C-alpha cells in the first residue's frame, strides 16, 4: 500500500514539478523583470508604455487578426480533411500513408519550410507562374511581405495539428449513433449536423486553440514570409531582447502577449463548449 501511495505521489508530483520548473519559474522571472525599472525600482511604466502607444495596439491587432484568420482557415480546410481520413478512406494502409504524409512535414524545421514557401510564393515562384500560365492573372501577385503570405505559411505549418485533433475526435464517435439516426429516417447531412459534428466539437476546439496559440507566438514564418514588413508581437519581443537589450520592456511585452493568448483561449473555450454544457 505504501509503495502504491508513493507511486501515486510521484506520478502527481513529477508533472507539477516540471510545470513549476519550466513554466512558472521562467514566467515569474519575466513578470518581475517587467515590473522593474532600469533603476531596479518597482514600476508600471513598461505596461503604461504599451497601453498608451498606438503602434503597439496596431501590432497587437495585426497579431490577433492574422492568428484568427489562420485558425479559421485551418478549421474550414482541416475538418473535411480529417473527416475524409476517418470515414472516406476504407483501406487501413492508405489511411496510414495519408497520416504519415500529413505528419512528415512536422519533422522538418519551420525555417526550412518557411524558406520553401518563400520560393513558391515569389514573383517568379511556382504559384505565380502557374496562375499566369493558366491565364488566371495578368501580372504576378505580391505574396511576400504581405499578411496573405504570412497566413498561407502559418496555415500550412499548423494544419496537421487541427487535422490530428479532429480526426482523433471523429474516430472515437460510436458509429451506431449515426446508424440509428439513419434507421429512423434522418438524411446523412442531418445525422452529421445533429450527431457527428456536436460530438467532434471538443476535438475541433482543442485543435483551434492549439493553432491559435502557435500562430500568436510564431516568429520564424512572419519574419521570413513577412520580409520585415508584417510585424507581429513576437517580433517586437525578439527585438527588445536581442537588439535593444531592454529586458524589462521585453518582459512587459511577453506578459502582454501571454495575457492576450490566455484571453483568446478562454473565450474560444467558452464559444466552443459543446451544447448542453457537457
Amino acid at each position: 500500500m505504501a509503495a502504491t501511495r508513493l507511486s501515486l505521489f510521484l506520478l502527481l508530483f513529477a508533472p507539477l514539478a516540471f510545470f513549476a520548473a519550466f513554466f512558472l519559474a521562467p514566467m515569474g522571472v519575466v513578470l518581475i523583470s517587467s515590473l522593474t525599472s532600469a533603476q531596479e525600482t518597482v514600476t508600471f511604466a513598461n505596461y503604461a508604455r504599451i497601453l498608451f502607444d498606438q503602434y503597439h495596439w496596431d501590432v497587437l491587432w495585426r497579431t490577433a487578426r492574422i492568428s484568427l484568420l489562420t485558425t479559421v482557415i485551418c478549421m474550414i480546410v482541416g475538418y473535411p480533411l480529417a473527416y475524409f481520413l476517418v470515414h472516406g478512406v476504407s483501406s487501413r494502409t492508405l489511411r496510414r500513408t495519408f497520416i504519415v504524409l500529413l505528419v512528415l512535414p512536422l519533422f522538418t524545421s519551420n525555417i526550412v519550410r518557411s524558406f520553401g514557401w518563400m520560393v513558391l510564393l515569389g514573383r517568379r515562384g511556382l504559384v505565380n507562374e502557374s496562375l499566369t500560365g493558366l491565364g488566371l492573372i495578368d501580372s504576378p501577385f505580391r505574396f511576400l511581405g504581405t499578411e496573405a503570405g504570412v497566413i498561407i505559411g502559418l496555415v500550412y505549418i499548423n494544419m496537421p495539428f487541427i487535422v490530428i485533433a479532429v480526426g482523433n475526435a471523429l474516430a472515437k464517435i460510436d458509429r451506431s449513433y449515426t446508424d440509428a439516426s439513419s434507421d429512423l429516417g434522418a438524411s446523412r447531412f442531418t445525422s452529421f449536423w445533429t450527431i457527428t459534428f456536436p460530438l467532434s466539437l471538443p476535438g475541433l476546439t482543442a485543435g483551434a486553440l492549439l493553432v491559435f496559440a502557435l500562430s500568436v507566438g510564431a516568429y520564424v514564418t512572419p519574419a521570413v514570409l513577412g520580409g520585415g514588413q508584417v510585424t507581429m508581437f513576437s517580433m517586437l519581443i525578439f527585438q527588445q531582447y536581442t537588439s535593444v537589450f531592454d529586458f524589462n520592456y521585453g518582459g512587459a511585452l511577453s506578459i502582454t502577449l501571454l495575457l492576450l493568448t490566455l484571453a483568446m483561449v478562454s473565450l474560444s473555450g467558452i464559444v466552443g463548449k459543446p451544447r448542453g454544457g457537457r
Side-chain angles (χ1 to χ4, degrees):
M1 182 62 75
T4 304
R5 289 180 178 175
L6 179 61
S7 299
L8 287 174
F9 174 76
L10 291 176
L11 196 63
L12 293 173
F13 178 76
L16 291 175
F18 184 88
F19 182 73
F22 294 100
F23 180 75
L24 291 182
M27 290 311 302
V29 172
V30 172
L31 178 62
I32 293 172
S33 172
S34 71
L35 295 171
T36 306
S37 68
Q39 292 74 33
E40 301 296 330
T41 57
V42 177
T43 178
F44 291 96
N46 294 316
Y47 290 99
R49 184 178 167 189
I50 298 172
L51 187 63
F52 296 109
D53 189 339
Q54 183 60 41
Y55 175 71
H56 292 98
W57 283 104
D58 293 341
V59 175
L60 199 60
W61 167 236
R62 183 182 302 119
T63 302
R65 182 172 65 237
I66 290 175
S67 302
L68 281 173
L69 285 173
T70 300
T71 304
V72 170
I73 294 172
C74 282
M75 291 170 69
I76 293 173
V77 178
Y79 194 99
L81 183 57
Y83 189 90
F84 170 75
L85 285 175
V86 174
H87 296 294
V89 182
S90 56
S91 169
R92 185 173 296 181
T93 304
L94 189 59
R95 185 183 303 157
R96 286 178 178 173
T97 303
F98 278 129
I99 293 174
V100 169
L101 291 175
L102 180 71
V103 175
L104 202 58
L106 297 179
F107 294 96
T108 308
S109 166
N110 277 357
I111 298 175
V112 175
R113 287 186 284 169
S114 297
F115 274 108
W117 274 105
M118 191 175 177
V119 174
L120 291 174
L121 297 177
R123 292 185 65 83
R124 295 184 177 277
L126 179 63
V127 175
N128 272 320
E129 289 291 331
S130 299
L131 293 175
T132 307
L134 293 172
L136 298 177
I137 57 175
D138 296 326
S139 58
F141 275 128
R142 180 171 174 259
F143 290 107
L144 300 180
T146 66
E147 291 187 13
V150 174
I151 291 172
I152 290 172
L154 289 176
V155 166
Y156 164 74
I157 288 173
N158 294 321
M159 183 66 72
F161 298 106
I162 202 162
V163 173
I164 292 171
V166 174
N168 188 46
L170 288 171
K172 290 180 178 177
I173 297 175
D174 193 338
R175 298 198 68 167
S176 62
Y177 295 158
T178 52
D179 291 341
S181 174
S182 299
D183 292 342
L184 293 174
S187 64
R188 293 185 64 179
F189 177 78
T190 302
S191 297
F192 167 79
W193 187 246
T194 57
I195 298 175
T196 305
F197 185 71
L199 291 177
S200 65
L201 270 181
L204 183 62
T205 304
L209 295 180
L210 184 59
V211 169
F212 179 81
L214 291 173
S215 300
V216 165
Y219 172 77
V220 172
T221 303
V224 173
L225 298 179
Q229 298 178 58
V230 182
T231 303
M232 291 180 67
F233 220 72
S234 57
M235 300 168 73
L236 285 183
I237 296 171
F238 184 80
Q239 290 170 1
Q240 292 301 317
Y241 276 108
T242 61
S243 301
V244 184
F245 300 109
D246 190 344
F247 292 174
N248 300 331
Y249 186 52
L253 291 171
S254 302
I255 295 297
T256 302
L257 182 61
L258 176 64
L259 293 177
L260 168 70
T261 306
L262 291 176
M264 295 302 294
V265 166
S266 301
L267 181 62
S268 302
I270 294 171
V271 173
K273 192 174 182 179
R275 283 174 288 182
R278 284 180 281 180

